[in-house]
Structure formats: structure tokens, C-alpha cells
Amino acid sequence: VTENIAMLPAKKSETIRTLESHVSIRSFNSTPVSEETLAMVLNAARRAPTSSNLQAYSVVVVRDPETRRRLSILAGNQRHVAEAPVFLAFCADISRIRLACQLHSKELAGDTLEMGLVAVIDAALVGMNVASAAESLGMGTVMIGGMRNHPLEVAATLALPEGAFVIFGMCIGWPERRPPQKPRLPEAAVIHYERYNSDGVEQALDEYDRQLESHFRGIDKPTDKASWTRRVATEFSRVRRGELRAAVRRLGFAFD
Ligand SMILES: Cc1cc2nc3c(=O)[nH]c(=O)nc-3n(C[C@H](O)[C@H](O)[C@H](O)COP(=O)(O)O)c2cc1C
């Protein structure tokens, strides 16, 4: 019987419908996000898997308008950071791990690439869980990598301890507008079966350039940035956030 069921195409779950309907939301209406709703989302998100059960992350919940205004400026004047009712800062955080070591008279061997990656991955997994949990309730989210523009100032604004830095932020609220979904790269470009296969990637990118151009035309956005390959080539042929390594080192992450 189980085998027969396994042969049937899987029926879509609510979770799959939520994931499929994701689109970043950058405009929010005035409905508040209640403490109860936020706590429910955060507590669900905290069930995320975590490397060696280290839970090497922290989340700072920011509702204070003045702090959000300051963070919006630090993020490169991103208005939605000031306008969303709730802003969350997701931190890679090894401060508790250092403390656990001290409690047992040991010193954390923490200045490694591995420890840094563990913390960044843990924080990212919780962040994605928060986004999905919030979106499953009909709320809107957008992640804010702009938090890495000025990591030291962001850390000071949020009073982070040594051993923590914000890997990205997130605006959460009830959507005012839900834009059309942005197309994703064709499956052939990103999913491989058994072995990586680069055949057809250029063709997939060409197809994606055309899809994105028509998406941007459809929403009356300038299409000069619409071609994915052209935008990537323009923006990523120069170093971005070149100061980041030195800044996160000062915050306790050597990534060596
Ligand atoms: C780690 C991360 C950082 C991001 N940073 C920003 C940001 O600073 N500002 C912003 O408006 N969107 C940001 N985004 C949202 C992306 O631009 C968006 O997810 C992407 O363009 C795809 O669009 P969609 O989410 O609507 O499908 C970020 C997304 C991720 C995953």
C-alpha cells in the first residue's frame, strides 16, 4: 500500500504553497504585528536545524521607530526598513559558545572559517524559517543585506556583544502591495541530478534574460537593469563591501 501511495504525485502541502508564493514585500500597511503573532513566528523559526546544536545565532527585534530610521540609513536609505512595523536583525553569534568554554575553563578555538560559517549558516536558517512562517500567515517580508554596508555602526546601534555581527536584517509587516513574482532561473540552470551538468546553462541564462526583461516591462520598471546577465556583469565585476572582512574581524570573526 505504501509503495502504491509513493507512486502517486505528491499533493501540495500548505507549506509548499507558502514557499511557492514567496515574493519580497517592501510596502506595509498600518496594521500592527502583535506580540503574540511575532512570538509564534519566532518560536517556530527557532526549531531550525543547527550545526552541532550550537544555535550560534541571535535575533534582535526592533520596533523602536528611531532605531529603525537609523538602520534604514545605514542600509543605504532603504525606506522599507523605517516603514515596516518590525525589523529583525539576524546575527551570527559565537558569544554564548565562548561563554560556555569559559565556564569550563577552556578557550574557544573560534577564529576559524569553520566557526564563522557555522554561525552564518545557523543565522540564515533561522532567518529563512522566520520568513516562511510569517508568509504562511499572510505577512510580508524582505531580507536586508544592506545591514552589511556598515557592520560596526549596526553592531553599535544594536549593542551587540563581541562575537556577533548582523548577517542580514528583515522587514516584517502586513503587505500593502503584493508585486508580481520575480521569475527564477530555469530549473536546468540550478538543479542537477546525480552529477553536475553544465550543458545548457548558457541557453538557460539566455532564456532567463528574456523572462526577466518581460517581467520588468510588465511592471513598468526600467529594463536597463532587467537582463540578469548584464546586471550581474555590471554590478559584480567590481568589489562590493571590500571593507567587510576587516569589520567582522573587529566584531570577533576572523574567518581564517
Ligand atoms: C540575504 C539577502 C539580502 C537581501 N538584501 C536586500 C536588501 O538589502 N534590500 C532589498 O530591498 N532586498 C533585499 N533582498 C531581497 C532580494 O532582492 C530578493 O529576494 C530577490 O531580488 C528576489 O526577489 P523576490 O524575493 O521578490 O522573489 C535580499 C535578499 C536576501 C536573500
Side-chain angles (χ1 to χ4, degrees):
V1 176
T2 324
E3 258 173 38
N4 285 344
I5 290 173
M7 297 298 286
L8 293 171
K11 206 167 148 280
K12 278 187 186 174
S13 65
E14 283 302 309
T15 305
I16 286 179
R17 286 186 201 285
T18 297
L19 297 175
E20 281 183 345
S21 57
H22 164 78
V23 58
S24 290
I25 300 294
R26 297 180 179 83
S27 63
F28 302 92
N29 67 30
S30 56
T31 312
V33 175
S34 73
E35 295 293 347
E36 293 74 16
T37 304
L38 185 61
M40 184 166 65
V41 165
L42 290 172
N43 284 321
R46 293 196 307 115
R47 297 304 319 180
T50 157
S51 200
S52 304
N53 197 24
L54 284 177
Q55 304 167 67
Y57 73 92
S58 290
V59 183
V60 183
V61 178
V62 182
R63 287 182 182 270
D64 177 61
E66 184 47 40
T67 311
R68 283 188 288 108
R69 196 188 63 82
R70 166 129 183 88
L71 292 174
S72 83
I73 294 167
L74 290 172
N77 294 314
Q78 298 200 46
R79 272 178 39 194
H80 34 279
V81 175
E83 289 170 2
V86 177
F87 183 79
L88 303 177
F90 293 91
C91 312
D93 185 354
I94 55 172
S95 68
R96 287 182 302 270
I97 297 164
R98 182 163 285 131
L99 177 60
C101 289
Q102 282 165 4
L103 292 172
H104 295 275
S105 310
K106 303 271 192 204
E107 203 182 319
L108 173 66
D111 283 350
T112 59
L113 174 62
E114 172 63 11
M115 195 71 246
L117 286 178
V118 160
V120 168
I121 293 168
D122 273 6
L125 293 176
V126 170
M128 187 62 228
N129 260 8
V130 167
S132 297
E135 290 174 18
S136 78
L137 298 172
M139 289 192 277
T141 69
V142 60
M143 293 184 182
I144 304 295
M147 287 294 99
R148 298 192 305 276
N149 290 355
H150 300 285
L152 298 173
E153 290 83 347
V154 167
T157 302
L158 300 175
L160 300 189
E162 199 204 328
F165 80 99
V166 177
I167 61 162
F168 59 82
M170 190 185 298
C171 305
I172 301 195
W174 298 95
E176 170 72 15
R177 265 190 321 282
R178 191 174 280 284
Q181 281 188 304
K182 201 182 276 182
R184 290 296 191 258
L185 284 163
E187 188 208 338
V190 290
I191 310 286
H192 304 276
Y193 295 93
E194 314 304 341
R195 278 166 192 274
Y196 199 107
N197 177 5
S198 317
D199 297 349
V201 169
E202 269 193 47
Q203 195 189 326
L205 294 189
D206 184 52
E207 183 187 329
Y208 190 51
D209 276 346
R210 280 182 279 115
Q211 277 182 9
L212 257 194
E213 273 167 38
S214 98
H215 164 78
F216 279 98
R217 215 173 296 121
I219 55 173
D220 287 335
K221 281 267 167 72
T223 50
D224 56 322
K225 281 191 169 181
S227 152
W228 188 81
T229 52
R230 196 176 333 116
R231 183 182 61 80
V232 169
T234 310
E235 293 183 13
F236 290 85
S237 53
R238 56 182 166 79
V239 175
R240 310 178 97 211
R241 298 182 181 134
E243 312 294 310
L244 186 58
R245 193 190 184 95
V248 297
R249 188 181 289 269
R250 287 180 59 188
L251 295 170
F253 287 81
F255 283 109
D256 272 343

